[in-house]
Amino acid sequence: LSTAKEPIDELSSQCQDSDTEETCVKASTSDQGPMNQVVEEPSVGIQQSNSDDNEERSKLSTAEEPLQKLMPSKMSDIHKTILTNNCVRITSDLDPNTDIYSNLLAARVLSLDEVDVIKIQPIRRDRAFKMVEILYRKGFDSFTIFLESLRSTHKDLHLFLCDQLKRLENNPTVTEFDLKEYLKATYQQKLDRIYPVPGDDQIRLKLDEVYINLKLQSSGAIHAPHASNSSAPTVDPKNLLAGHEYSSQPRRILIEASPGMGKSTLCQWLALNWSRECCEQSCAQSCIHEHDLLFYLNAKDFAGVNSMPELITHALGCNITREMINPHLAKSRIVFVVDGFDEVKKETVPLLVDLIERRAMPDCTLILTSRPSFLAQYLRSFDSLFSLTGMDDAQREEYSQKLSQQIEL
């Protein structure tokens, strides 16, 4: 438009300097450019110019529409709450398929790279969880578009989420982030399987189907728990938090065992068992289910962090912010299940040491695992000391049978 305007300005200048209309006409006719009719019919030329300008603006506006859809914007709190609080139901029912991918791609909710990330997940529930995880970070309209994409292929889930949306819209005060539901969904999605062959993720087994309920050997008094004591009483893991003669309400529990004895599997089982919120009338009076929140962590997660909110947001992922965590830390009964103290240097995990010695969150419960002798200087901080000695002959035979059945399946 600026370039096209230059002949008009030049022509106008010539007309102002001329005393006769004839000079203007001659000036206009001498110009062989496309704008020579503007001088002969000024009103038409101006209208044409305005029309061209409007048309150009319309084209620009149309071209900007896809860009506006890509503009970063936050998903509403209500939509985030629905995704979080109903993650278990969504990941149980959702089977990402071509229709859903197509709808989300067409609306620019997902990119091709994100679809590929979802598709490479090994099982259906992992794909569903990954889709929810990605959607959570998307813009304002992404939940509505996702909900509409479920209408034809997931009618029950579509109606369920619509009902949840209506309920929250009518009562927006219940939109507080439900951290407990988020943790339960995460553990049920990630911890229900084990990989018995190190380095081979192709072999996956259901934890419930192969888990052997190993007995914990109580160490009794404050002494080296790895010392052999065949007469020491044994405790079922379900009763790990039960009181005893040395502590009526244990808050710091240490489990020691040599490599390969089942420490990590026990931690995984405890977190998965908590997520199901079912004691099955077999737990002790004090059990894992009486806690509002359970954080399943590795000692390495404590490296380089200085506060509990920072630790938890770092461990749980980018969907969780400190603002979402802080209210729950202040009012919840919390248990930390931390695996692998022997895999870190204590100088690199000061927050974990503070947690052990009750300088951080003294009222919470800590279950910590380690190889023997790595926590000798902190033993007095623990209320309960246990050791895992591995499977006996009968348990080995039971495990072999379960393993064979799962591999055949």
Side-chain angles (χ1 to χ4, degrees):
L1 290 176
S2 177
T3 304
K5 185 181 175 185
E6 291 177 1
I8 300 177
D9 293 338
E10 181 181 354
L11 215 55
S12 175
S13 176
Q14 293 177 13
C15 289
Q16 290 175 359
D17 294 340
S18 175
D19 293 333
T20 64
E21 181 178 352
E22 181 179 357
T23 304
C24 291
V25 174
K26 288 180 180 179
S28 67
T29 56
S30 66
D31 185 2
Q32 300 302 318
M35 300 297 294
N36 56 5
Q37 294 182 355
V38 173
V39 177
E40 296 177 2
E41 298 180 16
S43 60
V44 175
I46 293 172
Q47 292 174 0
Q48 182 67 34
S49 177
N50 290 338
S51 176
D52 292 343
D53 184 59
N54 292 334
E55 182 178 355
E56 187 68 19
R57 289 179 183 273
S58 177
K59 290 180 179 179
L60 289 172
S61 176
T62 304
E64 286 174 355
E65 288 178 0
L67 297 177
Q68 291 172 353
K69 292 181 180 180
L70 293 174
M71 289 289 186
S73 58
K74 293 183 179 180
M75 181 182 289
S76 72
D77 291 339
I78 288 179
H79 294 166
K80 285 184 177 180
T81 300
I82 293 175
L83 286 178
T84 301
N85 291 0
N86 301 286
C87 192
V88 174
R89 171 67 185 270
I90 295 172
T91 54
S92 296
D93 294 359
L94 178 62
D95 184 8
N97 54 39
T98 303
D99 290 339
I100 295 176
Y101 291 139
S102 298
N103 290 334
L104 297 180
L105 282 169
R108 299 179 182 269
V109 173
L110 294 181
S111 67
L112 289 172
D113 288 342
E114 288 169 332
V115 170
D116 289 340
V117 169
I118 296 171
K119 287 183 175 180
I120 64 173
Q121 302 304 311
I123 60 175
R124 178 206 61 78
R125 191 166 58 180
D126 286 354
R127 292 191 290 274
F129 190 88
K130 179 59 67 174
M131 177 172 283
V132 172
E133 187 180 62
I134 293 174
L135 285 172
Y136 195 92
R137 302 192 297 267
K138 294 297 180 175
F140 186 81
D141 294 331
S142 56
F143 177 82
T144 303
I145 297 168
F146 167 69
L147 187 60
E148 185 61 27
S149 70
L150 300 176
R151 183 185 295 273
S152 60
T153 58
H154 295 73
K155 293 181 180 179
D156 291 343
L157 181 58
H158 176 265
L159 292 174
F160 171 77
L161 293 178
C162 286
D163 180 69
Q164 295 294 306
L165 179 61
K166 183 178 180 180
R167 181 177 66 86
L168 288 179
E169 287 177 340
N170 291 336
N171 186 13
T173 59
V174 299
T175 61
E176 180 181 350
F177 171 63
D178 194 331
L179 179 57
K180 184 175 184 176
E181 287 298 321
Y182 182 88
L183 291 171
K184 287 168 54 181
T186 301
Y187 298 156
Q188 290 179 26
Q189 190 271 334
K190 293 184 176 181
L191 303 181
D192 67 339
R193 68 195 77 116
I194 60 172
Y195 300 87
V197 181
D200 189 352
D201 293 344
Q202 297 293 329
I203 302 178
R204 300 186 302 271
L205 303 177
K206 293 182 179 178
L207 179 59
D208 288 333
E209 300 296 333
V210 298
Y211 180 72
I212 300 295
N213 196 31
L214 299 177
K215 298 295 184 181
L216 295 166
Q217 192 173 62
S218 175
S219 298
I222 303 296
H223 59 72
H226 59 281
S228 177
N229 185 0
S230 58
S231 62
T234 58
V235 177
D236 190 293
K238 293 179 180 179
N239 302 328
L240 185 63
L241 303 180
H244 50 78
E245 59 179 314
Y246 299 102
S247 177
S248 60
Q249 194 174 25
R251 293 296 189 194
R252 298 296 185 271
I253 297 98
L254 173 62
I255 302 172
E256 291 192 330
S258 300
M261 292 296 173
K263 300 186 298 296
S264 298
T265 303
L266 174 60
C267 290
Q268 183 175 337
W269 179 83
L270 287 171
L272 183 62
N273 193 29
W274 172 84
S275 72
R276 291 167 175 166
E277 282 194 308
C278 181
C279 294
E280 300 176 350
Q281 298 181 346
S282 59
C283 294
Q285 184 175 1
S286 297
C287 72
I288 202 80
H289 298 103
E290 70 178 8
H291 294 83
D292 301 317
L293 300 174
L294 182 147
F295 295 110
Y296 172 57
L297 304 164
N298 190 282
K300 295 177 181 178
D301 294 326
F302 286 80
V305 298
N306 300 311
S307 68
M308 284 299 170
E310 181 183 0
L311 166 72
I312 295 168
T313 54
H314 175 74
L316 294 183
C318 58
N319 290 354
I320 309 301
T321 65
R322 296 188 187 189
E323 291 73 19
M324 299 162 71
I325 292 291
N326 286 331
H328 298 278
L329 295 182
K331 63 182 180 181
S332 302
R333 292 174 298 175
I334 298 172
V335 55
F336 289 90
V337 178
V338 183
D339 188 30
F341 184 87
D342 55 285
E343 298 175 1
V344 299
K345 295 180 179 180
K346 64 178 183 296
E347 297 82 7
T348 65
V349 289
L351 183 61
L352 179 53
V353 173
D354 287 345
L355 189 61
I356 292 171
E357 298 190 326
R358 304 176 199 249
R359 290 190 294 269
M361 302 192 69
D363 295 328
C364 79
T365 299
L366 169 66
I367 301 173
L368 180 66
T369 71
S370 175
R371 297 183 188 184
S373 303
F374 276 81
L375 284 132
Q377 69 186 97
Y378 303 115
L379 287 182
R380 291 185 179 274
S381 298
F382 290 95
D383 304 312
S384 298
L385 307 174
F386 298 100
S387 60
L388 274 173
T389 57
M391 303 179 189
D392 56 28
D393 291 340
Q395 290 172 327
R396 288 192 189 94
E397 183 177 354
E398 180 186 358
Y399 180 73
S400 297
Q401 292 176 352
K402 288 183 176 182
L403 193 64
S404 299
Q405 293 174 355
Q406 281 295 303
I407 291 176
E408 290 176 2
L409 291 175

